[in-house]
Amino acid sequence: MSELIVKNLQVSVETDAGSKEILRGVDLTVKSGETHAIMGPNGSGKSTLAYSIAGHPKYTITGGSVTLDGKDLLEMSVDERAKAGLFLAMQYPVEVPGVSVSNFLRTAVTAIRGEAPKVRTWVGEVKEAMAALNMDTAFSERNVNEGFSGGEKKRHEILQMELLRPKIAILDETDSGLDVDALRIVSEGVNRVKGNSDLGVMLITHYTRILRYIKPDFVHVFANGKIVEAGGPELANKLEEQGYAAYTTA
Amino acid sequence: MSTLTTNYLAPSGREEAWRFTPLKRLAGLQIPETSTTSEISFTVKSGASSQALFKEIDNAELTPRYNSDDLITKRVRHEVTRTSLLTIAKDAELTEPIILGRNCTGKPQVSRLVIEAGVNSVSTVIIENSGDAQIGEEIEIIVSAGAKLNFVTLQEWSSDAIHLGQHHALIAKDGEFNSYVITVGGSVVRLNPTVDFTGEGANANLFGLYFATAGQHLEHRIHVDHKIANAKSRVNYKGALSGKDAHTVWIGDVFIHKGADGTDTYELNRNLLLTDGARADSVPNLEIETGEIVGAGHASTTGRFDDEQLFYLQSRGIPSELARRLVIRGFFAEIISKLSNETIEERIMDRIDNELSKVGV
Ligand SMILES: Nc1ncnc2c1ncn2[C@@H]1O[C@H](COP(=O)(O)OP(=O)(O)O)[C@@H](O)[C@H]1O
Ligand SMILES: [Mg+2]
């Protein structure tokens, strides 16, 4: 049983015009097996929350805390956070020229599991996971995210989640840029991992569309750098009908 | 032996060709008064056969087939007594590379090598340089009609070596010349890979990889002359630098002369600065005298590590040091994978890894 606790998190970024405050006190707890939808308008700070928890160097933590199973994540390097069981599926996965997907996956899995996977089982494991996500095995030989379509990038993120077996996953707009088929495949992937493990999920999204496939236990409305309302799945229906206007004009 | 009657003068450092080079660190190789020896320095490590003959002959028997205004080349031609000649037979299709090795010790010497790839032959020639040489060299490469020659020169010198030279290829009709210049060692390395086309349909692919650490000066001055119609050239050099006063110079001169209609050329240089205190000079230069070309372009970039790439890799549990190595290996992969030789690939990347761990990158 794992627990990610975000307490009063405050984050700013350095800009040419000086320091800019983005997160203004975020409180959130995600436990194993739970799925939390974080919904908010563009520019409200959702990606900043995801990146800050994962340790992106661009963001400065000015207050608050983040712990995973009692351990202070903010004290850890980026790779230590991943080893502690955190995974971030990025809104914009990064291209790494010259590094093949297979090399990347093997290196990452070796780092996370603490030992190189057995060659024999590993090949099968990757093949199976790729097949489940409808990915051609030729992807293994391509360079990480280079020339991938939007949908391929997102599938590749879920593939990594499947192989790295995190305790808590943050999915940052994994639904954006996906057509209906790709959305279904990716969502099934997330549900499969949830079914096979006790994964806790923080599902960041702008639209309610993905919630038809991945059922949230909790819905949080995010606006202007913090959570402004929290509730059950029914809150998503309200957002579907009324949008974010009520939260942003305030 | 040494001579004082010369047809060249020492550079002052103000010449365009020498303005980047640290003249004080050349052990006098550029100064006529410095005496040199010209013992044959190559040994055949593997690949020689009746189809690939290596021999040493009197230099006077091998009249140069092009004019060079490079003063090191002039010196070499003037002072060298014995020349190495590698001849690949007409129609030979050699699957095994011909490996010429050279382990030199530090006293000024000159060396001349001529490689002749016969009509319609297919071959790979690899030159492996090690030791702490002080060497001025000329390599003349003849790619005959329809021949395909892969030419690899590995500068794995030790840290005191000085290596100045010109590698000139003459490519005949429908000939293909693929060159790989890999420079990872030496105190000062200054090479001029140059190309002339002598027949239509000729094709030159010039690839390079260099990695400079603290104090190293690695200079590559490419010159491709398109005087003949319908020839194609591609240049792609990639370099990484780390440490104080690591200095690389890349000059990419491509000339498309009047009458060289149908020319297709593109040159690219990319540099990765791994630490502060290093300096990469990159000067692409394209001159076009005819409008009837297929394409001509160039690009040059010099940048630092991409933080987003490192973050992405680290967020998957990969420690920062390993992430940097993956990014550097990836950066060079485009060049080094084209060698299709895993032994060399691993040796070069291991050497780079070792240098990186020394400087803590
Ligand atoms: N590096 C940065 N420099 C300046 N502003 C930034 C930077 N990163 C994010 N921001 C700003 O912070 C706000 C929140 O961005 P983000 O977290 O990406 O929002 P969301 O993911 O909810 O769309 C936006 O106004 C954005 O412009
Ligand atoms: Mg976002």
Side-chain angles (χ1 to χ4, degrees):
Chain A
M1 166 70 195
S2 282
E3 198 174 34
L4 176 76
I5 303 177
V6 181
K7 268 201 194 127
N8 192 27
L9 187 65
Q10 296 155 52
V11 172
S12 60
V13 290
E14 298 310 315
T15 69
D16 293 341
S19 178
K20 179 181 171 188
E21 190 184 15
I22 301 178
L23 298 188
R24 301 159 199 268
V26 178
D27 288 287
L28 179 70
T29 297
V30 180
K31 296 180 185 169
S32 291
E34 295 178 353
T35 298
H36 293 249
I38 312 286
M39 306 191 61
N42 283 333
S44 57
K46 304 183 299 296
S47 290
T48 302
L49 175 63
Y51 276 135
S52 302
I53 296 171
H56 195 295
K58 193 166 71 179
Y59 301 94
T60 313
I61 314 292
T62 54
S65 67
V66 181
T67 59
L68 178 58
D69 299 337
K71 282 176 279 180
D72 185 355
L73 279 190
L74 301 180
E75 280 298 305
M76 296 182 197
S77 63
V78 175
D79 56 300
E80 285 167 350
R81 297 181 202 206
K83 284 180 199 122
L86 184 76
F87 181 83
L88 168 61
M90 290 185 206
Q91 183 173 0
Y92 303 109
V94 181
E95 296 182 4
V96 192
V99 177
S100 71
V101 167
S102 70
N103 185 15
F104 165 64
L105 293 176
R106 192 166 14 84
T107 308
V109 165
T110 303
I112 297 262
R113 296 186 191 167
E115 58 175 1
K118 302 261 177 300
V119 179
R120 204 176 292 170
T121 49
W122 171 242
V123 174
E125 193 181 340
V126 175
K127 261 196 186 151
E128 197 181 322
M130 288 179 88
L133 287 163
N134 242 356
M135 294 175 82
D136 195 288
T137 46
F139 265 94
S140 301
E141 299 317 313
R142 291 176 62 179
N143 292 333
V144 172
N145 294 320
E146 216 176 41
F148 286 23
S149 70
E152 289 166 345
K153 283 183 181 164
K154 297 302 172 76
R155 282 184 230 189
H156 181 224
E157 295 292 283
I158 301 306
L159 174 71
Q160 293 166 51
M161 182 176 83
E162 196 143 13
L163 295 169
L164 296 176
R165 305 175 194 149
K167 293 174 179 150
I168 303 286
I170 304 173
L171 310 182
D172 189 3
E173 303 220 15
T174 294
D175 52 339
S176 69
L178 296 185
D179 62 27
V180 185
D181 290 331
L183 180 63
R184 185 178 44 78
I185 290 164
V186 162
S187 301
E188 282 170 4
V190 174
N191 289 332
R192 192 167 51 246
V193 177
K194 281 179 59 176
N196 295 340
S197 65
D198 209 14
L199 182 71
V201 176
M202 191 165 141
L203 183 70
I204 295 175
T205 182
H206 182 85
Y207 302 104
T208 52
R209 196 171 65 137
I210 194 172
L211 304 184
R212 276 179 242 148
Y213 300 91
I214 304 173
K215 295 289 173 207
D217 304 299
F218 307 91
V219 174
H220 308 264
V221 183
F222 202 86
N224 200 19
K226 56 202 237 184
I227 290 170
V228 290
E229 192 174 348
E234 72 288 346
L235 185 51
N237 300 333
K238 183 179 148 196
L239 290 172
E240 170 93 75
E241 284 156 25
Q242 299 174 9
Y244 297 111
Y247 302 100
T248 50
T249 48
Chain B
M1 286 307 283
S2 85
T3 175
L4 288 174
T5 52
T6 62
N7 60 346
Y8 62 92
L9 293 169
S12 68
R14 285 186 299 274
E15 300 80 0
E16 180 57 33
W18 290 94
R19 68 187 177 99
F20 292 105
T21 316
L23 295 176
K24 287 202 178 75
R25 289 166 53 193
L26 306 186
L29 277 169
Q30 81 286 19
I31 300 169
E33 285 76 13
T34 310
S35 55
T36 62
T37 61
S38 69
E39 294 135 35
I40 295 290
S41 52
F42 288 109
T43 53
V44 183
K45 290 177 121 178
S46 64
S49 67
S50 59
Q51 304 267 79
L53 278 177
F54 181 81
K55 59 180 179 179
E56 298 161 8
I57 59 172
D58 214 33
N59 186 52
E61 288 179 39
L62 270 175
T63 312
R65 270 159 283 192
Y66 71 102
N67 292 323
S68 175
D69 51 15
D70 173 50
L71 76 85
I72 297 297
T73 302
K74 287 181 180 174
R75 163 166 226 166
V76 170
R77 289 176 177 180
H78 194 241
E79 296 179 10
V80 82
T81 50
R82 301 281 283 169
T83 289
S84 306
L85 173 65
L86 175 65
T87 313
I88 291 131
K90 176 174 181 289
D91 296 323
E93 289 201 19
L94 307 179
T95 46
E96 284 300 305
I98 301 139
I99 303 181
L100 303 181
R102 172 157 68 180
N103 189 325
C104 308
T105 45
K107 52 182 176 181
Q109 63 173 317
V110 287
S111 160
R112 182 162 175 247
L113 167 68
V114 176
I115 301 172
E116 290 184 355
V119 171
N120 292 331
S121 63
V122 178
S123 61
T124 297
V125 176
I126 300 173
I127 294 177
E128 299 187 337
N129 290 307
S130 60
D132 55 358
Q134 298 176 355
I135 192 164
E137 76 164 345
E138 183 203 359
I139 303 180
E140 179 180 310
I141 301 157
I142 309 295
V143 181
S144 306
K148 175 177 173 176
L149 174 66
N150 301 313
F151 171 75
V152 182
T153 173
L154 305 169
Q155 285 64 245
E156 298 174 274
W157 300 114
S158 51
S159 55
D160 289 335
I162 299 155
H163 181 196
L164 313 176
Q166 178 169 20
H167 301 164
H168 186 78
L170 290 150
I171 312 171
K173 186 174 185 319
D174 297 327
E176 178 180 329
F177 176 60
N178 302 311
S179 117
Y180 304 85
V181 177
I182 312 283
T183 306
V184 293
S187 169
V188 179
V189 175
R190 181 184 183 277
L191 295 177
N192 305 356
T194 56
V195 168
D196 260 330
F197 299 101
T198 58
E200 293 197 16
N203 193 343
N205 297 298
L206 311 182
F207 300 106
L209 178 161
Y210 49 85
F211 179 69
T213 54
Q216 272 186 307
H217 176 95
L218 307 180
E219 179 168 350
H220 298 89
R221 311 180 65 89
I222 291 91
H223 187 121
V224 180
D225 244 343
H226 281 274
K227 291 193 187 107
I228 298 277
N230 301 318
K232 182 175 167 184
S233 61
R234 291 286 180 273
V235 178
N236 187 356
Y237 271 62
K238 285 185 143 184
L241 300 85
S242 95
K244 191 173 176 307
D245 297 326
H247 188 196
T248 64
V249 178
W250 179 86
I251 310 289
D253 286 334
V254 176
F255 288 90
I256 306 175
H257 296 262
K258 259 199 200 75
D261 295 354
T263 291
D264 181 2
T265 179
Y266 193 83
E267 53 168 348
L268 176 65
N269 176 228
R270 289 188 62 196
N271 296 295
L272 189 56
L273 294 169
L274 304 178
T275 64
D276 289 334
R279 176 186 166 138
D281 286 300
S282 178
V283 189
N285 178 33
L286 181 58
E287 291 187 25
I288 308 177
E289 290 177 350
T290 171
E292 304 298 310
I293 57 171
V294 173
H298 62 76
S300 156
T301 61
T302 296
R304 294 179 176 275
F305 264 124
D306 183 339
D307 285 340
E308 298 300 328
Q309 287 177 7
L310 293 178
F311 173 72
Y312 188 73
L313 296 172
Q314 286 172 259
S315 76
R316 271 54 177 149
I318 300 171
S320 77
E321 190 174 320
L322 187 53
R324 282 165 195 271
R325 286 182 190 191
L326 272 180
V327 170
I328 292 168
R329 276 180 177 254
F331 175 74
F332 284 136
E334 186 191 356
I335 304 293
I336 211 157
S337 63
K338 289 200 175 76
L339 281 171
S340 318
N341 183 318
E342 265 177 46
T343 315
I344 294 177
E345 191 171 324
E346 274 312 303
R347 207 170 73 210
I348 298 295
M349 288 318 304
D350 284 351
R351 176 154 178 160
I352 291 173
D353 277 352
N354 279 338
E355 301 282 353
L356 287 172
S357 55
K358 270 189 236 157
V359 293
V361 169

